[in-house]
Amino acid sequence: MKYLVRDKIFAIGDDYWIEDENGHHAFLVDGKALRLRDTLELKDPHGRVLVTLRQKVFSLRDAMTLERDDRPLATIRRKRLSLLRNHYRVTLAEGTELDVSGRILDREFTVEYDGELLAHISRQWFHVRDTYAVNVVREDADAALLIAVAVCVIRMSEREREG
């Protein structure tokens, strides 16, 4: 299933709908302003929070955390010993690790588990400016988690470029 994401979701304080490939509202990104940490909430169409994305404003080691039901879900960090600058590691709470690699700033990258493709993020499917798709390849994959991972690594890469 492909999900349409516009880059404007990165403005804290803004709300934005992510649509599925049929044009239906699938997720609402709710930007929380005026907090010590950047916070975004990914909600279902009924307003239930599925994943909370957090990044500390002043952090020694750039990382974002994902939470579900106020409990840790995952931590995302840039892979330290990678020859590829755009390589991130997602460590889920139970210890499972996902690899994110590709051209993050170009919105052309993949999310994999143990060499198996879970999601492909690309601008190639759309001709609309500042729009990309998160194509969740496996039907049993957690789409909310994979969209949250995509949002986090893009945000982290943009901060790294600015800093």
Side-chain angles (χ1 to χ4, degrees):
M1 172 73 73
K2 288 182 186 161
Y3 297 92
L4 172 69
V5 184
R6 294 176 208 253
D7 280 334
K8 74 179 247 180
I9 66 172
F10 297 114
I12 297 296
D14 286 349
D15 295 347
Y16 181 73
W17 282 103
I18 294 174
E19 299 173 348
D20 66 18
E21 60 192 334
N22 300 314
H24 299 111
H25 289 170
F27 303 101
L28 175 67
V29 177
D30 186 359
K32 300 296 182 184
L34 303 174
R35 296 202 179 178
L36 291 177
R37 303 189 292 184
D38 284 353
T39 303
L40 297 171
E41 291 178 341
L42 190 63
K43 298 179 177 181
D44 70 12
H46 305 289
R48 187 173 66 94
V49 177
L50 302 173
V51 180
T52 302
L53 301 74
R54 299 184 196 277
Q55 181 172 23
K56 292 183 181 178
V57 176
F58 301 106
S59 175
L60 293 176
R61 187 161 180 226
D62 201 21
M64 289 191 81
T65 59
L66 303 178
E67 298 172 4
R68 180 170 280 151
D69 300 324
D70 294 321
R71 296 174 59 202
L73 178 62
T75 301
I76 303 171
R77 289 189 173 89
R78 187 167 67 82
K79 199 169 177 184
R80 288 197 167 238
L81 300 174
S82 173
L83 297 175
L84 301 171
R85 185 169 184 219
N86 291 314
H87 196 157
Y88 290 81
R89 166 106 355 112
V90 180
T91 305
L92 300 178
E94 77 273 359
T96 302
E97 292 186 342
L98 307 179
D99 285 311
V100 180
S101 62
R103 297 185 326 270
I104 309 291
L105 294 174
D106 292 333
R107 310 311 188 252
E108 296 294 335
F109 59 97
T110 60
V111 180
E112 296 180 344
Y113 167 67
D114 200 25
E116 182 181 350
L117 181 65
L118 298 179
H120 180 214
I121 292 75
S122 179
R123 277 193 172 144
Q124 292 180 356
W125 296 303
F126 297 99
H127 299 292
V128 180
R129 187 175 170 207
D130 296 328
T131 303
Y132 62 93
V134 176
N135 184 18
V136 177
V137 177
R138 287 184 48 156
E139 287 186 25
D140 62 342
D142 184 340
L145 171 64
L146 294 171
I147 290 169
V149 166
V151 168
C152 285
V153 297
I154 290 170
R155 189 172 187 86
M156 292 170 72
S157 290
E158 287 180 343
R159 283 214 166 149
E160 185 177 301
R161 180 184 64 185
E162 293 168 1

